[in-house]
């Protein structure tokens, strides 16, 4: 039915990128007022002082995108650009002259992962079968940012439909995103483009999503801060689902303070997302308190289950732990029960397999009449010659996963119901008990047990990983619905960033952000990637 659709470049990307050639010859000189990798507060001061305009900021970022995303190192972080961004920036500048109550994000550009619905801009989820799907409304979280005056520069590439299947950061709609620090390596997945874009200074912050480490992994290997909020703190309304038992919307930024500012902007109840209706009334205010947390006397549980996979990662963790102790933290070694080491097989995998098809098809039915309405129809397009014979066909393993999902109907199975009603509550209770029994304020651990993996299309003999799955630690917060913040703390010999995570009880974002900020004060962000 849909096989006749031809695969084309997203029109707004082609139009705007075509107009950027001249910009690369005349880069806007904003560095005097706004240094590279500027923070949100630096941008706010520059805008309010008149040293720079929003239009100049947008041109600055567009110039970098033109030089480094599709040329030079070919980071390939973005799938498409907002064709109206320059006009929107000009309008923001004009309105700013008469606006006395501008919020901190007013006139500041950002990037959204391509599974967030964006009105008038294609939202593909990384699938060539959806690359012409143009929503009529914005995702709830995107709309909150726009309502506060932020400017959407474009949409970030991602693993296809948020599942990597061995090709992290690859999609049929966008190709492969590579690591800005070492282009022989990937940027994890699935929020690869969002993390790479922030690392490469294509915007000061980006939106990502996290199901089983989909935001924290990319943040870790791209050297940026990543926040997976408590399940239900931020809305998934208008976001392509993978597994709503675990899906969260979150933030990638260069500093903990920036991440806290953006989190303040996007939290809130959404009647389209029932999980958000349970959140406490006193959430938010993260940016105002992020710098007030002291490490002195703070008891942290050091999760030891996942060590031994990579000597450099373990070495960086040891250095960080010593520094935490030197600044007053009290560390308590914690070996979690063995069941926490196999959460993909026992929890995330089975639940994800059961939920994907019905939840994804529910999303498809919100799209226009020209778009596929069933998983079967999407697979048909994905297997069509227009996609299969293109330079970026669907990952064969991802296609295999889609076909398996087509025949999987398990949301009423005893196994699925047992996991949701017995296993997940037990995991939450065990984690809470460990925290309470040891009087811990949070857990701390290496976000991933190994550095960024080699890109799927190249061999890198320097890669070392003695784990069958370096993401195992990230499955804990995913399975339990707990919040986690990852902060960059060092780099390996291959110039690859490495991060440390703080994980705590639901709605304890204030505490986790405070701990992460205190660590970032001890270990300030290193210089960004040297792009040429």
């Amino acid at each position: 039915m849909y096989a006749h659709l031809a695969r084309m470049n997203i029109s707004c990307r082609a139009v705007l990128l075509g107009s950027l050639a001249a910009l690369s010859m005349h880069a806007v000189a904003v560095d005097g007022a706004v240094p590279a990798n500027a923070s949100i507060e630096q941008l706010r001061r520059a805008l309010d002082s008149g040293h720079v305009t929003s239009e100049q900021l947008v041109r600055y970022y567009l110039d970098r995108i033109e030089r480094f995303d599709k040329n030079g190192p070919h980071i390939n972080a973005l799938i498409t650009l907002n064709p109206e961004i320059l006009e929107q920036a000009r309008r923001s500048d004009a309105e700013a002259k008469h606006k006395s109550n501008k919020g901190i994000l007013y006139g500041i550009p950002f990037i959204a992962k391509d599974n967030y619905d964006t009105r008038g801009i294609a939202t593909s989820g990384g699938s060539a079968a959806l690359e012409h799907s143009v929503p009529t409304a914005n995702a709830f979280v995107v709309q909150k940012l726009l309502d506060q005056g932020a400017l959407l520069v474009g949409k970030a590439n991602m693993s296809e439909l948020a599942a990597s299947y061995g090709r992290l950061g690859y999609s049929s709609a966008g190709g492969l995103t590579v690591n800005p620090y070492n282009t022989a390596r990937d940027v994890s997945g699935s929020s690869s483009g969002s993390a790479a874009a922030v690392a490469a200074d294509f915007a000061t912050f980006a939106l990502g999503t996290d199901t089983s480490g989909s935001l924290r992994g990319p943040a870790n290997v791209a050297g940026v801060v990543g926040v997976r909020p408590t399940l239900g703190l931020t809305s998934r309304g208008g976001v392509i689902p993978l597994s709503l038992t675990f899906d969260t919307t979150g933030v990638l930024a260069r500093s903990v303070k920036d991440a806290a500012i953006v989190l303040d902007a996007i939290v809130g109840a959404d009647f389209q997302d029932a999980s958000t209706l349970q959140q406490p009334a006193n959430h938010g205010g993260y940016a105002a308190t992020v710098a007030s947390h002291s490490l002195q006397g703070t008891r942290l549980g050091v999760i030891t289950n996942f060590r031994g996979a990579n000597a450099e990662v373990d070495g960086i963790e040891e250095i960080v732990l010593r520094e935490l102790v030197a600044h007053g933290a009290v560390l308590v070694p914690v070996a979690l029960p063995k069941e926490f080491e196999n959460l993909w097989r026992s929890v995330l995998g089975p639940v994800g397999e059961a939920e994907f098809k019905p939840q994804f098809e529910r999303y498809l039915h919100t799209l226009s009449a020209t778009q596929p309405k069933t998983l079967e129809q999407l697979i048909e397009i994905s297997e069509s010659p227009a996609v299969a014979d293109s330079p970026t066909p669907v990952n064969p393993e991802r296609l295999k996963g889609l076909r398996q999902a087509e025949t999987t109907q398990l949301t009423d199975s005893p196994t699925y119901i047992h996991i949701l009603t017995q296993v997940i509550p037990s995991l939450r209770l065990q984690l809470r008990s460990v925290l309470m029994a040891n009087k811990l304020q949070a857990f701390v651990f290496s976000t991933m047990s190994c550095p960024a993996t080699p890109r799927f299309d190249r061999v890198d003999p320097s890669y070392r990983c003695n784990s069958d799955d370096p993401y195992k630690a990230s499955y804990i917060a995913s399975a339990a619905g707990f919040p986690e913040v990852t902060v960059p703390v060092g780099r390996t010999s291959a110039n690859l960033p490495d991060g440390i995570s703080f994980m705590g009880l639901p709605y304890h974002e204030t505490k986790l952000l405070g701990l992460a900020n205190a660590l970032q004060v001890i270990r300030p962000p290193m210089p960004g990637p040297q792009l040429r």
Side-chain angles (χ1 to χ4, degrees), residues 370-452:
T370 61
Q371 299 305 309
K373 292 293 179 284
T374 66
L375 181 56
E376 180 182 6
Q377 292 170 350
L378 181 129
I379 293 172
E380 182 183 346
I381 301 171
S382 300
E383 294 179 325
S384 68
V387 177
D389 297 337
S390 74
T392 55
V394 180
N395 174 7
E397 291 302 312
R398 185 67 184 103
L399 258 179
K400 182 180 177 181
L402 292 174
R403 293 192 200 101
Q404 289 174 340
E406 172 60 25
T407 60
T408 301
Q409 303 274 351
L410 297 176
T411 51
D412 58 353
S413 74
T415 299
Y416 176 79
I417 294 170
H418 174 70
I419 293 172
L420 263 61
T421 61
Q422 302 295 321
V423 178
I424 292 177
S426 173
L427 295 172
R428 292 170 178 160
L429 180 60
Q430 290 182 70
L431 291 172
R432 188 180 294 271
S433 297
V434 172
L435 287 164
M436 297 299 104
N438 292 283
K439 298 182 174 60
L440 303 175
Q441 294 197 28
F443 293 112
V444 62
F445 50 93
S446 293
T447 306
M448 288 173 54
S449 58
C450 294

Side-chain angles (χ1 to χ4, degrees), residues 157-160 167-172 175-176 391-395 456:
N157 192 27
M158 55 185 285
S159 301
E160 186 137 350
R167 294 189 180 186
L168 292 99
Y170 173 85
S171 74
S172 59
L176 176 66
T392 55
V394 180
N395 174 7
F456 78 91

Side-chain angles (χ1 to χ4, degrees), residues 42 106 182 206 242 272 303 330 372 479 499 531:
Q42 286 174 314
Y106 189 89
N182 182 340
L242 181 62
Q272 290 186 67
I303 296 178
V330 178
L531 302 180

